Amino acid sequence: MTYSDYLQLDNILNSQHRLSDHHDEMLFIIIHQSSELWMKLILHELYAAIGCIRENDLEPAFKMLSRVSRIQQQLIQSWDVLSTLTPAEYMQFRDKLGYSSGFQSYQNRLIEFALGLKTPHILSVYKHQPELHEQLQRAIHEPSIYDVSIQALAARGLSIDKACLERDWSQDYQPNASVEAAWLTVYRDVNQYWDLYELAEKLVDIEGRQQQWRYHHMLTVERIIGHKQGTGGSSGVTYLKRVLDHRFFPELWSLRTAL
């Protein structure tokens, strides 16, 4: 077996097919393909971390979550490369994309579901792909990493409202006073709850990087197409600005004011 055989480089390196003759379409394709590979690894790590936390085996999850935040940094930096594409250059091949759009990235949706952003209406985007639609349906009904972290708080004897522990996982998480109180207990007694404290900080790292990724995404899109509608029909920059206000783990941020 050779290096090329092991990595199946022929398949990977022969998967960049430009639909135009424009030089910069290669940049556009490779940035998005490599981002999807990094997202695949994020999901691999997130799902494993969720499994560890559900089994009350927190320490292995710390390494996995640290890796996720490092991968996110790679994704953030990829926007710097894509931003070398100017508006005039992009307009030379944008029409070749048809209705395809990064908004349709199912791996990005799976990451959002795993982090706790549940948007059932978005599933309609994938109805024409039955197997993928079913996969997303299953994923949206699974507890997020924050849900299992809240369950870990309860398992350690911290008081959590029953409604948080037995809620409909397919719905977006809403802040809860009992969850903030539990995290405050953890932060006020780090020695007793060091593992839960470490888990919380790993989650904060991931949310911080996710917000940076969103922000750089928005800036790059605005830089290249301004406020035009996205190729897939989304509102483009307007939508990207709106999601910047969303918090995945709200109590981990609000407790900082209360602490």
mmCIF file of all heavy atoms in Angstrom, residues 83-94 221-226 228:
data_model
loop_
_atom_site.group_PDB
_atom_site.id
_atom_site.type_symbol
_atom_site.label_atom_id
_atom_site.label_comp_id
_atom_site.label_asym_id
_atom_site.label_seq_id
_atom_site.Cartn_x
_atom_site.Cartn_y
_atom_site.Cartn_z
ATOM 1 N N SER A 83 -11.481 35.051 0.888
ATOM 2 C CA SER A 83 -11.680 36.495 0.716
ATOM 3 C C SER A 83 -10.723 37.107 -0.301
ATOM 4 O O SER A 83 -10.868 38.284 -0.660
ATOM 5 C CB SER A 83 -11.551 37.216 2.062
ATOM 6 O OG SER A 83 -10.218 37.149 2.544
ATOM 7 N N THR A 84 -9.743 36.319 -0.792
ATOM 8 C CA THR A 84 -8.896 36.818 -1.893
ATOM 9 C C THR A 84 -9.652 36.812 -3.216
ATOM 10 O O THR A 84 -9.153 37.318 -4.221
ATOM 11 C CB THR A 84 -7.607 35.973 -2.033
ATOM 12 O OG1 THR A 84 -7.952 34.620 -2.384
ATOM 13 C CG2 THR A 84 -6.800 35.984 -0.741
ATOM 14 N N LEU A 85 -10.843 36.208 -3.203
ATOM 15 C CA LEU A 85 -11.714 36.218 -4.392
ATOM 16 C C LEU A 85 -12.459 37.544 -4.423
ATOM 17 O O LEU A 85 -13.185 37.886 -3.487
ATOM 18 C CB LEU A 85 -12.699 35.049 -4.320
ATOM 19 C CG LEU A 85 -13.703 34.883 -5.456
ATOM 20 C CD1 LEU A 85 -12.996 34.508 -6.752
ATOM 21 C CD2 LEU A 85 -14.742 33.826 -5.080
ATOM 22 N N THR A 86 -12.285 38.315 -5.480
ATOM 23 C CA THR A 86 -12.936 39.624 -5.557
ATOM 24 C C THR A 86 -14.340 39.502 -6.158
ATOM 25 O O THR A 86 -14.658 38.507 -6.824
ATOM 26 C CB THR A 86 -12.112 40.593 -6.438
ATOM 27 O OG1 THR A 86 -12.177 40.140 -7.806
ATOM 28 C CG2 THR A 86 -10.657 40.654 -5.973
ATOM 29 N N PRO A 87 -15.183 40.515 -5.930
ATOM 30 C CA PRO A 87 -16.543 40.468 -6.501
ATOM 31 C C PRO A 87 -16.536 40.298 -8.017
ATOM 32 O O PRO A 87 -17.319 39.516 -8.558
ATOM 33 C CB PRO A 87 -17.138 41.823 -6.096
ATOM 34 C CG PRO A 87 -16.375 42.230 -4.886
ATOM 35 C CD PRO A 87 -14.991 41.697 -5.066
ATOM 36 N N ALA A 88 -15.649 40.997 -8.707
ATOM 37 C CA ALA A 88 -15.611 40.914 -10.166
ATOM 38 C C ALA A 88 -15.245 39.506 -10.616
ATOM 39 O O ALA A 88 -15.784 38.988 -11.612
ATOM 40 C CB ALA A 88 -14.612 41.932 -10.717
ATOM 41 N N GLU A 89 -14.324 38.868 -9.882
ATOM 42 C CA GLU A 89 -13.915 37.511 -10.241
ATOM 43 C C GLU A 89 -15.037 36.507 -9.999
ATOM 44 O O GLU A 89 -15.293 35.633 -10.824
ATOM 45 C CB GLU A 89 -12.672 37.124 -9.432
ATOM 46 C CG GLU A 89 -11.426 37.900 -9.842
ATOM 47 C CD GLU A 89 -10.322 37.865 -8.803
ATOM 48 O OE1 GLU A 89 -10.606 37.459 -7.644
ATOM 49 O OE2 GLU A 89 -9.194 38.249 -9.130
ATOM 50 N N TYR A 90 -15.719 36.629 -8.861
ATOM 51 C CA TYR A 90 -16.788 35.691 -8.529
ATOM 52 C C TYR A 90 -17.929 35.782 -9.524
ATOM 53 O O TYR A 90 -18.540 34.765 -9.895
ATOM 54 C CB TYR A 90 -17.282 35.955 -7.110
ATOM 55 C CG TYR A 90 -18.348 34.996 -6.626
ATOM 56 C CD1 TYR A 90 -18.205 33.626 -6.766
ATOM 57 C CD2 TYR A 90 -19.505 35.479 -6.019
ATOM 58 C CE1 TYR A 90 -19.177 32.748 -6.322
ATOM 59 C CE2 TYR A 90 -20.488 34.610 -5.557
ATOM 60 C CZ TYR A 90 -20.323 33.254 -5.712
ATOM 61 O OH TYR A 90 -21.289 32.386 -5.278
ATOM 62 N N MET A 91 -18.234 36.990 -9.986
ATOM 63 C CA MET A 91 -19.326 37.164 -10.934
ATOM 64 C C MET A 91 -19.062 36.449 -12.252
ATOM 65 O O MET A 91 -19.987 36.171 -13.019
ATOM 66 C CB MET A 91 -19.569 38.653 -11.203
ATOM 67 C CG MET A 91 -20.215 39.399 -10.041
ATOM 68 S SD MET A 91 -21.794 38.682 -9.518
ATOM 69 C CE MET A 91 -21.347 38.014 -7.918
ATOM 70 N N GLN A 92 -17.804 36.108 -12.520
ATOM 71 C CA GLN A 92 -17.458 35.428 -13.769
ATOM 72 C C GLN A 92 -17.938 33.974 -13.806
ATOM 73 O O GLN A 92 -18.054 33.385 -14.886
ATOM 74 C CB GLN A 92 -15.949 35.485 -13.997
ATOM 75 C CG GLN A 92 -15.385 36.868 -14.198
ATOM 76 C CD GLN A 92 -15.962 37.555 -15.422
ATOM 77 O OE1 GLN A 92 -15.968 36.967 -16.513
ATOM 78 N NE2 GLN A 92 -16.449 38.764 -15.245
ATOM 79 N N PHE A 93 -18.190 33.397 -12.609
ATOM 80 C CA PHE A 93 -18.653 31.992 -12.613
ATOM 81 C C PHE A 93 -19.821 31.739 -11.665
ATOM 82 O O PHE A 93 -20.310 30.619 -11.583
ATOM 83 C CB PHE A 93 -17.494 31.029 -12.280
ATOM 84 C CG PHE A 93 -16.882 31.203 -10.914
ATOM 85 C CD1 PHE A 93 -17.409 30.557 -9.804
ATOM 86 C CD2 PHE A 93 -15.753 31.987 -10.745
ATOM 87 C CE1 PHE A 93 -16.837 30.703 -8.546
ATOM 88 C CE2 PHE A 93 -15.163 32.138 -9.496
ATOM 89 C CZ PHE A 93 -15.707 31.491 -8.388
ATOM 90 N N ARG A 94 -20.332 32.753 -10.982
ATOM 91 C CA ARG A 94 -21.415 32.540 -10.013
ATOM 92 C C ARG A 94 -22.642 31.908 -10.652
ATOM 93 O O ARG A 94 -23.312 31.062 -10.045
ATOM 94 C CB ARG A 94 -21.801 33.866 -9.340
ATOM 95 C CG ARG A 94 -22.784 33.687 -8.184
ATOM 96 C CD ARG A 94 -23.173 35.022 -7.567
ATOM 97 N NE ARG A 94 -23.918 34.817 -6.325
ATOM 98 C CZ ARG A 94 -25.090 35.383 -6.053
ATOM 99 N NH1 ARG A 94 -25.666 36.184 -6.931
ATOM 100 N NH2 ARG A 94 -25.691 35.146 -4.906
ATOM 101 N N VAL A 221 -18.834 36.908 2.815
ATOM 102 C CA VAL A 221 -19.960 36.981 1.881
ATOM 103 C C VAL A 221 -20.253 38.431 1.516
ATOM 104 O O VAL A 221 -20.445 38.766 0.334
ATOM 105 C CB VAL A 221 -21.209 36.291 2.480
ATOM 106 C CG1 VAL A 221 -22.435 36.557 1.604
ATOM 107 C CG2 VAL A 221 -20.970 34.793 2.615
ATOM 108 N N GLU A 222 -20.266 39.307 2.515
ATOM 109 C CA GLU A 222 -20.552 40.727 2.243
ATOM 110 C C GLU A 222 -19.467 41.331 1.358
ATOM 111 O O GLU A 222 -19.748 42.145 0.475
ATOM 112 C CB GLU A 222 -20.661 41.503 3.555
ATOM 113 C CG GLU A 222 -21.118 42.934 3.364
ATOM 114 C CD GLU A 222 -21.491 43.620 4.669
ATOM 115 O OE1 GLU A 222 -21.060 43.144 5.741
ATOM 116 O OE2 GLU A 222 -22.213 44.643 4.618
ATOM 117 N N ARG A 223 -18.230 40.915 1.600
ATOM 118 C CA ARG A 223 -17.117 41.441 0.807
ATOM 119 C C ARG A 223 -17.213 41.033 -0.657
ATOM 120 O O ARG A 223 -16.850 41.790 -1.556
ATOM 121 C CB ARG A 223 -15.794 40.942 1.404
ATOM 122 C CG ARG A 223 -14.553 41.345 0.623
ATOM 123 C CD ARG A 223 -13.289 40.968 1.356
ATOM 124 N NE ARG A 223 -12.114 41.317 0.585
ATOM 125 C CZ ARG A 223 -10.895 41.453 1.096
ATOM 126 N NH1 ARG A 223 -10.701 41.264 2.397
ATOM 127 N NH2 ARG A 223 -9.869 41.761 0.341
ATOM 128 N N ILE A 224 -17.722 39.815 -0.900
ATOM 129 C CA ILE A 224 -17.732 39.291 -2.266
ATOM 130 C C ILE A 224 -19.027 39.598 -3.018
ATOM 131 O O ILE A 224 -19.001 39.944 -4.202
ATOM 132 C CB ILE A 224 -17.455 37.774 -2.247
ATOM 133 C CG1 ILE A 224 -16.038 37.504 -1.710
ATOM 134 C CG2 ILE A 224 -17.596 37.176 -3.648
ATOM 135 C CD1 ILE A 224 -15.705 36.039 -1.518
ATOM 136 N N ILE A 225 -20.191 39.475 -2.336
ATOM 137 C CA ILE A 225 -21.455 39.694 -3.073
ATOM 138 C C ILE A 225 -22.317 40.804 -2.475
ATOM 139 O O ILE A 225 -23.433 41.046 -2.959
ATOM 140 C CB ILE A 225 -22.296 38.398 -3.167
ATOM 141 C CG1 ILE A 225 -22.831 37.967 -1.791
ATOM 142 C CG2 ILE A 225 -21.513 37.285 -3.823
ATOM 143 C CD1 ILE A 225 -23.898 36.884 -1.872
ATOM 144 N N GLY A 226 -21.833 41.469 -1.422
ATOM 145 C CA GLY A 226 -22.637 42.517 -0.814
ATOM 146 C C GLY A 226 -23.913 41.955 -0.213
ATOM 147 O O GLY A 226 -23.874 40.942 0.486
ATOM 148 N N LYS A 228 -26.576 40.853 -1.971
ATOM 149 C CA LYS A 228 -27.355 40.075 -2.945
ATOM 150 C C LYS A 228 -27.957 38.852 -2.259
ATOM 151 O O LYS A 228 -27.450 38.360 -1.258
ATOM 152 C CB LYS A 228 -26.460 39.587 -4.089
ATOM 153 C CG LYS A 228 -25.921 40.665 -5.021
ATOM 154 C CD LYS A 228 -25.169 40.022 -6.158
ATOM 155 C CE LYS A 228 -24.568 41.053 -7.099
ATOM 156 N NZ LYS A 228 -23.439 41.793 -6.464
#
